[in-house]
Amino acid sequence: MAVFWRWWGRYAGGLLLTVLILIGAWILRETNGAAVREFYRLLNLPLQRRGDEQQSLIQARTWQLEQQVAQLQAENARLRQLLNAPMLPNLNGRIVPVIGRSSDQWWRFLLLGEGSRQGLSIGGVVVGNGGLVGRITSITPNTSRVMLLTDPASRIGVVVGRTRQMGILRGQLNQQVIVEFLEKDPKVQPKDTLFTSALSSLFPAGIPVGEVQSVELEDPTRPHATVILGAPIDRLEWVTVIPYAEPTDTLTPN
């Protein structure tokens, strides 16, 4: 017995190691190395998590920068449209951002991000890409309030480009406005273009206003037409403001 224990004390470590190696080889054979792969995966899991988190942050940042670039490109395109708009070559305009709209007064007024400190003044004519928008009616050092053509209180003298027939344009709280003609038979038809009239006291002549959509001439006492405004009043982001002094000797409609 003493001999056995001496033998065990001398060879037990090697024997256990041999048994463990044989068991490990059997497990590898039976599992096709799955246990080793799982052990390796567990060892690398913290590194993988850190890598995944870093990759997610990179992807999120990349997406954010892509959206910012797209927004800047769209804004640049809108500014280029304003700069290239073929209107009012003899009047100097200033491109100004729209910074405010009231949800319950959406079609009545908008707020610009510049005021008297930047050289704007009451009476300034506001034009968007496509045509007339309105005029400045009140001002602060850094903001300007614009009365829109779509405000029912707005009254503007207009002329039909094709026939030179005169009319008065008024808003009705949407992109469509109404023009009432001064003559019983204005000889106007759909697709005719309207411009500000030379008789207008608040706007210089020749600014594009909109296009006739439909004509109603059945009532000879009130011949009128529905007009689609050229400027997208409901989605303006930038406008051009043109200084304009109201004539003091004009008594005709606006």
Side-chain angles (χ1 to χ4, degrees):
M1 192 67 177
V3 174
F4 172 77
W5 287 113
R6 284 197 298 272
W7 178 86
W8 178 258
R10 177 179 299 179
Y11 298 107
L15 182 62
L16 290 174
L17 180 61
T18 301
V19 171
L20 290 175
I21 291 174
L22 292 174
I23 292 174
W26 178 82
I27 291 174
L28 287 175
R29 180 175 179 276
E30 293 297 320
T31 62
N32 294 320
V36 174
R37 290 195 297 272
E38 181 64 17
F39 179 70
Y40 179 79
R41 186 188 70 81
L42 292 174
L43 287 178
N44 285 275
L45 189 58
L47 296 176
Q48 291 176 353
R49 286 178 177 174
R50 285 196 293 270
D52 292 342
E53 291 174 358
Q54 185 176 12
Q55 184 64 27
S56 297
L57 290 174
I58 293 173
Q59 291 176 349
R61 181 59 176 168
T62 300
W63 182 86
Q64 177 187 351
L65 292 175
E66 289 175 348
Q67 302 313 307
Q68 290 176 340
V69 169
Q71 177 67 16
L72 289 174
Q73 289 175 338
E75 187 172 288
N76 182 57
R78 286 191 292 271
L79 289 174
R80 286 182 178 275
Q81 287 179 334
L82 284 173
L83 289 172
N84 295 330
M87 60 179 66
L88 304 173
N90 297 324
L91 297 173
N92 294 321
R94 180 182 180 88
I95 296 177
V96 179
V98 176
I99 63 170
R101 302 289 289 264
S102 173
S103 59
D104 59 341
Q105 301 287 325
W106 191 262
W107 298 99
R108 292 183 182 272
F109 75 90
L110 56 79
L111 196 66
L112 304 183
E114 293 188 6
S116 57
R117 285 183 180 173
Q118 291 78 30
L120 304 188
S121 60
I122 292 177
V125 176
V126 181
V127 180
N129 185 44
L132 186 64
V133 170
R135 63 187 294 267
I136 295 175
T137 54
S138 64
I139 200 163
T140 71
N142 294 304
T143 63
S144 301
R145 181 183 173 112
V146 177
M147 181 180 183
L148 299 172
L149 299 185
T150 49
D151 188 329
S154 173
R155 295 288 188 276
I156 297 173
V158 295
V159 61
V160 179
R162 182 177 60 86
T163 65
R164 310 310 296 173
Q165 300 294 322
M166 300 287 184
I168 304 297
L169 183 141
R170 59 179 175 83
Q172 52 179 14
L173 298 180
N174 56 48
Q175 190 69 25
Q176 295 181 344
V177 295
I178 296 294
V179 57
E180 297 178 348
F181 296 104
L182 305 180
E183 299 184 13
K184 294 182 179 180
D185 183 13
K187 296 181 176 60
V188 65
Q189 60 189 29
K191 300 297 183 181
D192 278 344
T193 303
L194 298 181
F195 299 87
T196 50
S197 167
L199 301 180
S200 175
S201 63
L202 299 180
F203 299 92
I207 303 177
V209 174
E211 185 177 271
V212 174
Q213 183 183 41
S214 61
V215 181
E216 178 56 62
L217 303 177
E218 292 183 2
D219 184 357
T221 64
R222 187 178 169 268
H224 64 278
T226 300
V227 175
I228 298 293
L229 293 175
I233 301 292
D234 59 334
R235 55 184 186 276
L236 292 169
E237 297 184 51
W238 296 86
V239 294
T240 300
V241 179
I242 302 163
Y244 186 69
E246 180 181 348
T248 57
D249 57 349
T250 303
L251 301 178
T252 54
N254 296 344

PDB file of all heavy atoms in Angstrom, residues 16-47:
ATOM      1  N   LEU A  16      -3.470  12.815 -14.255  1.00  0.00           N
ATOM      2  CA  LEU A  16      -4.647  13.694 -14.365  1.00  0.00           C
ATOM      3  C   LEU A  16      -4.578  14.568 -15.615  1.00  0.00           C
ATOM      4  O   LEU A  16      -5.591  14.790 -16.293  1.00  0.00           O
ATOM      5  CB  LEU A  16      -4.759  14.567 -13.112  1.00  0.00           C
ATOM      6  CG  LEU A  16      -5.151  13.828 -11.818  1.00  0.00           C
ATOM      7  CD1 LEU A  16      -5.089  14.795 -10.626  1.00  0.00           C
ATOM      8  CD2 LEU A  16      -6.558  13.250 -11.943  1.00  0.00           C
ATOM      9  N   LEU A  17      -3.377  15.060 -15.918  1.00  0.00           N
ATOM     10  CA  LEU A  17      -3.230  15.879 -17.117  1.00  0.00           C
ATOM     11  C   LEU A  17      -3.541  15.073 -18.366  1.00  0.00           C
ATOM     12  O   LEU A  17      -4.199  15.546 -19.296  1.00  0.00           O
ATOM     13  CB  LEU A  17      -1.807  16.444 -17.175  1.00  0.00           C
ATOM     14  CG  LEU A  17      -1.485  17.323 -18.380  1.00  0.00           C
ATOM     15  CD1 LEU A  17      -2.392  18.557 -18.392  1.00  0.00           C
ATOM     16  CD2 LEU A  17      -0.009  17.764 -18.344  1.00  0.00           C
ATOM     17  N   THR A  18      -3.062  13.801 -18.365  1.00  0.00           N
ATOM     18  CA  THR A  18      -3.330  12.943 -19.517  1.00  0.00           C
ATOM     19  C   THR A  18      -4.819  12.690 -19.677  1.00  0.00           C
ATOM     20  O   THR A  18      -5.368  12.719 -20.793  1.00  0.00           O
ATOM     21  CB  THR A  18      -2.579  11.613 -19.361  1.00  0.00           C
ATOM     22  OG1 THR A  18      -1.172  11.868 -19.244  1.00  0.00           O
ATOM     23  CG2 THR A  18      -2.830  10.687 -20.545  1.00  0.00           C
ATOM     24  N   VAL A  19      -5.506  12.448 -18.525  1.00  0.00           N
ATOM     25  CA  VAL A  19      -6.952  12.212 -18.580  1.00  0.00           C
ATOM     26  C   VAL A  19      -7.686  13.448 -19.111  1.00  0.00           C
ATOM     27  O   VAL A  19      -8.593  13.347 -19.932  1.00  0.00           O
ATOM     28  CB  VAL A  19      -7.479  11.828 -17.180  1.00  0.00           C
ATOM     29  CG1 VAL A  19      -9.018  11.797 -17.171  1.00  0.00           C
ATOM     30  CG2 VAL A  19      -6.923  10.465 -16.773  1.00  0.00           C
ATOM     31  N   LEU A  20      -7.295  14.631 -18.623  1.00  0.00           N
ATOM     32  CA  LEU A  20      -7.930  15.869 -19.090  1.00  0.00           C
ATOM     33  C   LEU A  20      -7.716  16.077 -20.577  1.00  0.00           C
ATOM     34  O   LEU A  20      -8.624  16.516 -21.309  1.00  0.00           O
ATOM     35  CB  LEU A  20      -7.385  17.065 -18.311  1.00  0.00           C
ATOM     36  CG  LEU A  20      -7.805  17.140 -16.837  1.00  0.00           C
ATOM     37  CD1 LEU A  20      -7.096  18.307 -16.140  1.00  0.00           C
ATOM     38  CD2 LEU A  20      -9.328  17.322 -16.724  1.00  0.00           C
ATOM     39  N   ILE A  21      -6.516  15.771 -21.053  1.00  0.00           N
ATOM     40  CA  ILE A  21      -6.233  15.921 -22.483  1.00  0.00           C
ATOM     41  C   ILE A  21      -7.106  14.985 -23.294  1.00  0.00           C
ATOM     42  O   ILE A  21      -7.679  15.352 -24.345  1.00  0.00           O
ATOM     43  CB  ILE A  21      -4.738  15.667 -22.764  1.00  0.00           C
ATOM     44  CG1 ILE A  21      -3.902  16.801 -22.164  1.00  0.00           C
ATOM     45  CG2 ILE A  21      -4.483  15.550 -24.263  1.00  0.00           C
ATOM     46  CD1 ILE A  21      -2.401  16.574 -22.258  1.00  0.00           C
ATOM     47  N   LEU A  22      -7.241  13.721 -22.810  1.00  0.00           N
ATOM     48  CA  LEU A  22      -8.074  12.751 -23.528  1.00  0.00           C
ATOM     49  C   LEU A  22      -9.530  13.176 -23.542  1.00  0.00           C
ATOM     50  O   LEU A  22     -10.222  13.060 -24.561  1.00  0.00           O
ATOM     51  CB  LEU A  22      -7.918  11.367 -22.879  1.00  0.00           C
ATOM     52  CG  LEU A  22      -6.545  10.705 -23.040  1.00  0.00           C
ATOM     53  CD1 LEU A  22      -6.473   9.407 -22.221  1.00  0.00           C
ATOM     54  CD2 LEU A  22      -6.276  10.422 -24.513  1.00  0.00           C
ATOM     55  N   ILE A  23     -10.004  13.708 -22.382  1.00  0.00           N
ATOM     56  CA  ILE A  23     -11.399  14.169 -22.327  1.00  0.00           C
ATOM     57  C   ILE A  23     -11.599  15.350 -23.267  1.00  0.00           C
ATOM     58  O   ILE A  23     -12.589  15.435 -24.001  1.00  0.00           O
ATOM     59  CB  ILE A  23     -11.777  14.557 -20.883  1.00  0.00           C
ATOM     60  CG1 ILE A  23     -11.808  13.296 -19.989  1.00  0.00           C
ATOM     61  CG2 ILE A  23     -13.129  15.274 -20.860  1.00  0.00           C
ATOM     62  CD1 ILE A  23     -12.022  13.610 -18.526  1.00  0.00           C
ATOM     63  N   GLY A  24     -10.635  16.283 -23.279  1.00  0.00           N
ATOM     64  CA  GLY A  24     -10.735  17.431 -24.165  1.00  0.00           C
ATOM     65  C   GLY A  24     -10.737  17.024 -25.634  1.00  0.00           C
ATOM     66  O   GLY A  24     -11.496  17.560 -26.449  1.00  0.00           O
ATOM     67  N   ALA A  25      -9.877  16.024 -25.960  1.00  0.00           N
ATOM     68  CA  ALA A  25      -9.834  15.547 -27.352  1.00  0.00           C
ATOM     69  C   ALA A  25     -11.147  14.903 -27.739  1.00  0.00           C
ATOM     70  O   ALA A  25     -11.647  15.077 -28.862  1.00  0.00           O
ATOM     71  CB  ALA A  25      -8.670  14.558 -27.509  1.00  0.00           C
ATOM     72  N   TRP A  26     -11.753  14.151 -26.776  1.00  0.00           N
ATOM     73  CA  TRP A  26     -13.044  13.498 -27.072  1.00  0.00           C
ATOM     74  C   TRP A  26     -14.145  14.549 -27.304  1.00  0.00           C
ATOM     75  O   TRP A  26     -14.964  14.425 -28.204  1.00  0.00           O
ATOM     76  CB  TRP A  26     -13.399  12.576 -25.908  1.00  0.00           C
ATOM     77  CG  TRP A  26     -14.727  11.893 -26.110  1.00  0.00           C
ATOM     78  CD1 TRP A  26     -14.986  10.786 -26.847  1.00  0.00           C
ATOM     79  CD2 TRP A  26     -15.971  12.331 -25.552  1.00  0.00           C
ATOM     80  NE1 TRP A  26     -16.312  10.464 -26.805  1.00  0.00           N
ATOM     81  CE2 TRP A  26     -16.952  11.412 -26.006  1.00  0.00           C
ATOM     82  CE3 TRP A  26     -16.343  13.367 -24.721  1.00  0.00           C
ATOM     83  CZ2 TRP A  26     -18.296  11.522 -25.645  1.00  0.00           C
ATOM     84  CZ3 TRP A  26     -17.668  13.476 -24.362  1.00  0.00           C
ATOM     85  CH2 TRP A  26     -18.643  12.584 -24.816  1.00  0.00           C
ATOM     86  N   ILE A  27     -14.131  15.612 -26.444  1.00  0.00           N
ATOM     87  CA  ILE A  27     -15.143  16.675 -26.582  1.00  0.00           C
ATOM     88  C   ILE A  27     -14.992  17.386 -27.926  1.00  0.00           C
ATOM     89  O   ILE A  27     -15.977  17.665 -28.623  1.00  0.00           O
ATOM     90  CB  ILE A  27     -15.027  17.671 -25.424  1.00  0.00           C
ATOM     91  CG1 ILE A  27     -15.458  16.995 -24.110  1.00  0.00           C
ATOM     92  CG2 ILE A  27     -15.886  18.916 -25.686  1.00  0.00           C
ATOM     93  CD1 ILE A  27     -15.241  17.868 -22.885  1.00  0.00           C
ATOM     94  N   LEU A  28     -13.744  17.690 -28.311  1.00  0.00           N
ATOM     95  CA  LEU A  28     -13.506  18.337 -29.600  1.00  0.00           C
ATOM     96  C   LEU A  28     -13.999  17.465 -30.750  1.00  0.00           C
ATOM     97  O   LEU A  28     -14.575  17.962 -31.722  1.00  0.00           O
ATOM     98  CB  LEU A  28     -12.011  18.634 -29.775  1.00  0.00           C
ATOM     99  CG  LEU A  28     -11.433  19.777 -28.936  1.00  0.00           C
ATOM    100  CD1 LEU A  28      -9.919  19.861 -29.135  1.00  0.00           C
ATOM    101  CD2 LEU A  28     -12.084  21.092 -29.350  1.00  0.00           C
ATOM    102  N   ARG A  29     -13.760  16.145 -30.608  1.00  0.00           N
ATOM    103  CA  ARG A  29     -14.172  15.229 -31.678  1.00  0.00           C
ATOM    104  C   ARG A  29     -15.692  15.166 -31.787  1.00  0.00           C
ATOM    105  O   ARG A  29     -16.269  15.185 -32.874  1.00  0.00           O
ATOM    106  CB  ARG A  29     -13.590  13.840 -31.406  1.00  0.00           C
ATOM    107  CG  ARG A  29     -13.950  12.800 -32.462  1.00  0.00           C
ATOM    108  CD  ARG A  29     -13.237  11.487 -32.165  1.00  0.00           C
ATOM    109  NE  ARG A  29     -13.584  10.477 -33.150  1.00  0.00           N
ATOM    110  CZ  ARG A  29     -14.685   9.705 -33.095  1.00  0.00           C
ATOM    111  NH1 ARG A  29     -15.541   9.877 -32.082  1.00  0.00           N
ATOM    112  NH2 ARG A  29     -14.924   8.807 -34.034  1.00  0.00           N
ATOM    113  N   GLU A  30     -16.349  15.109 -30.634  1.00  0.00           N
ATOM    114  CA  GLU A  30     -17.800  14.965 -30.631  1.00  0.00           C
ATOM    115  C   GLU A  30     -18.526  16.258 -31.033  1.00  0.00           C
ATOM    116  O   GLU A  30     -19.622  16.212 -31.580  1.00  0.00           O
ATOM    117  CB  GLU A  30     -18.275  14.509 -29.241  1.00  0.00           C
ATOM    118  CG  GLU A  30     -17.835  13.115 -28.870  1.00  0.00           C
ATOM    119  CD  GLU A  30     -18.416  12.059 -29.805  1.00  0.00           C
ATOM    120  OE1 GLU A  30     -19.603  12.211 -30.176  1.00  0.00           O
ATOM    121  OE2 GLU A  30     -17.702  11.116 -30.177  1.00  0.00           O
ATOM    122  N   THR A  31     -17.934  17.404 -30.731  1.00  0.00           N
ATOM    123  CA  THR A  31     -18.614  18.690 -30.999  1.00  0.00           C
ATOM    124  C   THR A  31     -18.047  19.417 -32.206  1.00  0.00           C
ATOM    125  O   THR A  31     -18.473  20.557 -32.512  1.00  0.00           O
ATOM    126  CB  THR A  31     -18.496  19.627 -29.776  1.00  0.00           C
ATOM    127  OG1 THR A  31     -17.112  19.913 -29.530  1.00  0.00           O
ATOM    128  CG2 THR A  31     -19.124  18.994 -28.544  1.00  0.00           C
ATOM    129  N   ASN A  32     -17.091  18.791 -32.887  1.00  0.00           N
ATOM    130  CA  ASN A  32     -16.472  19.433 -34.058  1.00  0.00           C
ATOM    131  C   ASN A  32     -15.878  20.800 -33.709  1.00  0.00           C
ATOM    132  O   ASN A  32     -15.922  21.735 -34.499  1.00  0.00           O
ATOM    133  CB  ASN A  32     -17.469  19.578 -35.205  1.00  0.00           C
ATOM    134  CG  ASN A  32     -17.892  18.237 -35.760  1.00  0.00           C
ATOM    135  OD1 ASN A  32     -17.063  17.332 -35.898  1.00  0.00           O
ATOM    136  ND2 ASN A  32     -19.186  18.092 -36.059  1.00  0.00           N
ATOM    137  N   GLY A  33     -15.354  20.951 -32.522  1.00  0.00           N
ATOM    138  CA  GLY A  33     -14.681  22.197 -32.126  1.00  0.00           C
ATOM    139  C   GLY A  33     -15.613  23.299 -31.658  1.00  0.00           C
ATOM    140  O   GLY A  33     -15.172  24.431 -31.450  1.00  0.00           O
ATOM    141  N   ALA A  34     -16.907  22.991 -31.465  1.00  0.00           N
ATOM    142  CA  ALA A  34     -17.860  24.036 -31.070  1.00  0.00           C
ATOM    143  C   ALA A  34     -17.514  24.615 -29.711  1.00  0.00           C
ATOM    144  O   ALA A  34     -17.668  25.826 -29.468  1.00  0.00           O
ATOM    145  CB  ALA A  34     -19.284  23.460 -31.060  1.00  0.00           C
ATOM    146  N   ALA A  35     -17.052  23.767 -28.803  1.00  0.00           N
ATOM    147  CA  ALA A  35     -16.728  24.254 -27.459  1.00  0.00           C
ATOM    148  C   ALA A  35     -15.586  25.265 -27.508  1.00  0.00           C
ATOM    149  O   ALA A  35     -15.604  26.283 -26.809  1.00  0.00           O
ATOM    150  CB  ALA A  35     -16.362  23.074 -26.554  1.00  0.00           C
ATOM    151  N   VAL A  36     -14.574  24.992 -28.349  1.00  0.00           N
ATOM    152  CA  VAL A  36     -13.451  25.916 -28.465  1.00  0.00           C
ATOM    153  C   VAL A  36     -13.906  27.234 -29.072  1.00  0.00           C
ATOM    154  O   VAL A  36     -13.525  28.317 -28.629  1.00  0.00           O
ATOM    155  CB  VAL A  36     -12.325  25.292 -29.309  1.00  0.00           C
ATOM    156  CG1 VAL A  36     -11.207  26.305 -29.553  1.00  0.00           C
ATOM    157  CG2 VAL A  36     -11.774  24.068 -28.605  1.00  0.00           C
ATOM    158  N   ARG A  37     -14.760  27.132 -30.103  1.00  0.00           N
ATOM    159  CA  ARG A  37     -15.258  28.355 -30.730  1.00  0.00           C
ATOM    160  C   ARG A  37     -16.090  29.184 -29.757  1.00  0.00           C
ATOM    161  O   ARG A  37     -15.996  30.416 -29.726  1.00  0.00           O
ATOM    162  CB  ARG A  37     -16.086  27.994 -31.970  1.00  0.00           C
ATOM    163  CG  ARG A  37     -15.255  27.445 -33.119  1.00  0.00           C
ATOM    164  CD  ARG A  37     -16.052  27.463 -34.424  1.00  0.00           C
ATOM    165  NE  ARG A  37     -17.231  26.601 -34.342  1.00  0.00           N
ATOM    166  CZ  ARG A  37     -17.214  25.295 -34.645  1.00  0.00           C
ATOM    167  NH1 ARG A  37     -16.085  24.715 -35.035  1.00  0.00           N
ATOM    168  NH2 ARG A  37     -18.326  24.586 -34.566  1.00  0.00           N
ATOM    169  N   GLU A  38     -16.903  28.525 -28.950  1.00  0.00           N
ATOM    170  CA  GLU A  38     -17.710  29.245 -27.968  1.00  0.00           C
ATOM    171  C   GLU A  38     -16.829  29.905 -26.916  1.00  0.00           C
ATOM    172  O   GLU A  38     -17.069  31.048 -26.505  1.00  0.00           O
ATOM    173  CB  GLU A  38     -18.690  28.279 -27.302  1.00  0.00           C
ATOM    174  CG  GLU A  38     -19.604  28.930 -26.265  1.00  0.00           C
ATOM    175  CD  GLU A  38     -20.533  29.963 -26.852  1.00  0.00           C
ATOM    176  OE1 GLU A  38     -20.724  29.970 -28.091  1.00  0.00           O
ATOM    177  OE2 GLU A  38     -21.075  30.781 -26.080  1.00  0.00           O
ATOM    178  N   PHE A  39     -15.791  29.183 -26.471  1.00  0.00           N
ATOM    179  CA  PHE A  39     -14.863  29.746 -25.497  1.00  0.00           C
ATOM    180  C   PHE A  39     -14.149  30.968 -26.072  1.00  0.00           C
ATOM    181  O   PHE A  39     -14.006  31.996 -25.414  1.00  0.00           O
ATOM    182  CB  PHE A  39     -13.852  28.666 -25.088  1.00  0.00           C
ATOM    183  CG  PHE A  39     -12.825  29.146 -24.098  1.00  0.00           C
ATOM    184  CD1 PHE A  39     -13.184  29.439 -22.778  1.00  0.00           C
ATOM    185  CD2 PHE A  39     -11.499  29.330 -24.485  1.00  0.00           C
ATOM    186  CE1 PHE A  39     -12.237  29.889 -21.873  1.00  0.00           C
ATOM    187  CE2 PHE A  39     -10.557  29.792 -23.583  1.00  0.00           C
ATOM    188  CZ  PHE A  39     -10.925  30.068 -22.265  1.00  0.00           C
ATOM    189  N   TYR A  40     -13.749  30.865 -27.341  1.00  0.00           N
ATOM    190  CA  TYR A  40     -13.091  32.001 -28.007  1.00  0.00           C
ATOM    191  C   TYR A  40     -14.054  33.181 -28.162  1.00  0.00           C
ATOM    192  O   TYR A  40     -13.671  34.342 -27.980  1.00  0.00           O
ATOM    193  CB  TYR A  40     -12.571  31.543 -29.373  1.00  0.00           C
ATOM    194  CG  TYR A  40     -11.888  32.637 -30.153  1.00  0.00           C
ATOM    195  CD1 TYR A  40     -10.568  33.024 -29.874  1.00  0.00           C
ATOM    196  CD2 TYR A  40     -12.566  33.294 -31.181  1.00  0.00           C
ATOM    197  CE1 TYR A  40      -9.962  34.031 -30.589  1.00  0.00           C
ATOM    198  CE2 TYR A  40     -11.951  34.304 -31.896  1.00  0.00           C
ATOM    199  CZ  TYR A  40     -10.646  34.664 -31.593  1.00  0.00           C
ATOM    200  OH  TYR A  40     -10.041  35.672 -32.300  1.00  0.00           O
ATOM    201  N   ARG A  41     -15.326  32.865 -28.460  1.00  0.00           N
ATOM    202  CA  ARG A  41     -16.322  33.937 -28.612  1.00  0.00           C
ATOM    203  C   ARG A  41     -16.534  34.672 -27.296  1.00  0.00           C
ATOM    204  O   ARG A  41     -16.639  35.902 -27.267  1.00  0.00           O
ATOM    205  CB  ARG A  41     -17.653  33.347 -29.102  1.00  0.00           C
ATOM    206  CG  ARG A  41     -18.705  34.401 -29.441  1.00  0.00           C
ATOM    207  CD  ARG A  41     -20.039  33.759 -29.725  1.00  0.00           C
ATOM    208  NE  ARG A  41     -20.613  33.200 -28.501  1.00  0.00           N
ATOM    209  CZ  ARG A  41     -21.268  33.932 -27.589  1.00  0.00           C
ATOM    210  NH1 ARG A  41     -21.398  35.237 -27.747  1.00  0.00           N
ATOM    211  NH2 ARG A  41     -21.769  33.355 -26.513  1.00  0.00           N
ATOM    212  N   LEU A  42     -16.578  33.893 -26.183  1.00  0.00           N
ATOM    213  CA  LEU A  42     -16.761  34.514 -24.872  1.00  0.00           C
ATOM    214  C   LEU A  42     -15.580  35.403 -24.504  1.00  0.00           C
ATOM    215  O   LEU A  42     -15.745  36.476 -23.913  1.00  0.00           O
ATOM    216  CB  LEU A  42     -16.970  33.438 -23.802  1.00  0.00           C
ATOM    217  CG  LEU A  42     -18.285  32.649 -23.901  1.00  0.00           C
ATOM    218  CD1 LEU A  42     -18.316  31.526 -22.876  1.00  0.00           C
ATOM    219  CD2 LEU A  42     -19.475  33.596 -23.708  1.00  0.00           C
ATOM    220  N   LEU A  43     -14.381  34.952 -24.877  1.00  0.00           N
ATOM    221  CA  LEU A  43     -13.197  35.767 -24.594  1.00  0.00           C
ATOM    222  C   LEU A  43     -13.219  37.075 -25.373  1.00  0.00           C
ATOM    223  O   LEU A  43     -12.781  38.119 -24.888  1.00  0.00           O
ATOM    224  CB  LEU A  43     -11.924  34.979 -24.938  1.00  0.00           C
ATOM    225  CG  LEU A  43     -11.535  33.844 -23.989  1.00  0.00           C
ATOM    226  CD1 LEU A  43     -10.285  33.142 -24.504  1.00  0.00           C
ATOM    227  CD2 LEU A  43     -11.290  34.374 -22.571  1.00  0.00           C
ATOM    228  N   ASN A  44     -13.746  37.029 -26.609  1.00  0.00           N
ATOM    229  CA  ASN A  44     -13.739  38.216 -27.475  1.00  0.00           C
ATOM    230  C   ASN A  44     -15.013  39.060 -27.377  1.00  0.00           C
ATOM    231  O   ASN A  44     -15.104  40.110 -28.018  1.00  0.00           O
ATOM    232  CB  ASN A  44     -13.546  37.795 -28.934  1.00  0.00           C
ATOM    233  CG  ASN A  44     -12.120  37.384 -29.233  1.00  0.00           C
ATOM    234  OD1 ASN A  44     -11.275  38.219 -29.531  1.00  0.00           O
ATOM    235  ND2 ASN A  44     -11.859  36.088 -29.139  1.00  0.00           N
ATOM    236  N   LEU A  45     -15.987  38.590 -26.602  1.00  0.00           N
ATOM    237  CA  LEU A  45     -17.256  39.302 -26.517  1.00  0.00           C
ATOM    238  C   LEU A  45     -17.110  40.758 -26.069  1.00  0.00           C
ATOM    239  O   LEU A  45     -17.712  41.654 -26.683  1.00  0.00           O
ATOM    240  CB  LEU A  45     -18.213  38.551 -25.590  1.00  0.00           C
ATOM    241  CG  LEU A  45     -19.654  39.061 -25.561  1.00  0.00           C
ATOM    242  CD1 LEU A  45     -20.249  39.005 -26.975  1.00  0.00           C
ATOM    243  CD2 LEU A  45     -20.497  38.239 -24.588  1.00  0.00           C
ATOM    244  N   PRO A  46     -16.321  41.069 -25.029  1.00  0.00           N
ATOM    245  CA  PRO A  46     -16.162  42.491 -24.650  1.00  0.00           C
ATOM    246  C   PRO A  46     -15.586  43.333 -25.777  1.00  0.00           C
ATOM    247  O   PRO A  46     -16.023  44.465 -26.010  1.00  0.00           O
ATOM    248  CB  PRO A  46     -15.223  42.430 -23.440  1.00  0.00           C
ATOM    249  CG  PRO A  46     -15.392  41.054 -22.891  1.00  0.00           C
ATOM    250  CD  PRO A  46     -15.630  40.178 -24.085  1.00  0.00           C
ATOM    251  N   LEU A  47     -14.601  42.763 -26.511  1.00  0.00           N
ATOM    252  CA  LEU A  47     -14.013  43.513 -27.616  1.00  0.00           C
ATOM    253  C   LEU A  47     -15.018  43.721 -28.740  1.00  0.00           C
ATOM    254  O   LEU A  47     -15.085  44.790 -29.355  1.00  0.00           O
ATOM    255  CB  LEU A  47     -12.777  42.769 -28.140  1.00  0.00           C
ATOM    256  CG  LEU A  47     -11.600  42.634 -27.164  1.00  0.00           C
ATOM    257  CD1 LEU A  47     -10.497  41.791 -27.791  1.00  0.00           C
ATOM    258  CD2 LEU A  47     -11.066  44.020 -26.787  1.00  0.00           C
TER     259      LEU A  47
END
